[in-house]
Amino acid sequence: KLCKNTKDFINEYLDPDKKWPSGTSRKDRVYPIIYPDNHLDHDVIAEHIKGMPYQDFLKTKYWQAVSAHAKYKTDYSCQLCGTQSYTLNTHHKNYKRHGYEHLNHVMKEDLIVLCQNCHSKFHDKLAN
């Protein structure tokens, strides 16, 4: 079921308490967010996301879909060491375009898929 406008998109995909119905396929989770067939105001979506507590953002259908799609696009492989796994982490390289992750060019440039080991190293490098 595709959202008809930006408000519906926000209500449906950015509420951290809303869950996907059991049995919803990866495609049905990803397509309305990554490939919406309607006109959305991406700036309004991004502002809503930026106003959310980050831990709530991570619980949204939106982030679940973006993260799943990023992993799919890497063939479920860590982009640093190449380990293949279904328990990868999708990580922001930076937060300059946080809220626009659903746009393919932002996903490709600003997100990185990492195994747990590389994700830990990535955070250690940032801390030092």
Side-chain angles (χ1 to χ4, degrees):
K1 164 182 142 183
L2 297 176
C3 296
K4 292 185 172 94
N5 60 43
T6 302
K7 183 178 177 186
D8 288 343
F9 184 94
I10 289 169
N11 289 335
E12 184 62 28
Y13 301 117
L14 292 170
D15 180 339
D17 296 322
K18 285 194 176 182
K19 306 296 177 216
W20 292 105
S22 180
T24 305
S25 71
R26 185 194 69 80
K27 181 180 176 182
D28 287 342
R29 293 174 188 223
V30 169
Y31 271 59
I33 295 168
I34 306 299
Y35 306 109
D37 74 349
N38 49 34
H39 301 287
L40 298 174
D41 187 329
H42 300 291
D43 295 331
V44 169
I45 292 168
E47 286 306 311
H48 181 87
I49 289 170
K50 289 174 189 174
M52 297 178 73
Y54 193 68
Q55 291 305 313
D56 285 349
F57 167 74
L58 295 176
K59 296 175 190 173
T60 64
K61 291 178 176 182
Y62 172 95
W63 178 248
Q64 291 170 12
V66 166
S67 179
H69 192 61
K71 293 170 189 174
Y72 171 79
K73 296 290 266 182
T74 66
D75 196 26
Y76 301 95
S77 298
C78 175
Q79 290 181 274
L80 292 183
C81 74
T83 297
Q84 283 198 301
S85 171
Y86 289 109
T87 58
L88 298 165
N89 298 284
T90 305
H91 182 80
H92 286 85
K93 293 180 197 175
N94 64 65
Y95 293 90
K96 291 177 186 160
R97 295 185 282 189
H98 178 49
Y100 296 92
E101 295 91 349
H102 61 287
L103 302 176
N104 277 302
H105 69 282
V106 174
M107 183 186 302
K108 185 177 180 181
E109 296 166 12
D110 293 5
L111 301 180
I112 186 168
V113 174
L114 303 169
C115 68
Q116 190 60 48
N117 191 36
C118 288
H119 195 210
S120 295
K121 289 179 188 174
F122 198 90
H123 280 286
D124 288 344
K125 188 177 275 188
L126 290 176
N128 295 329

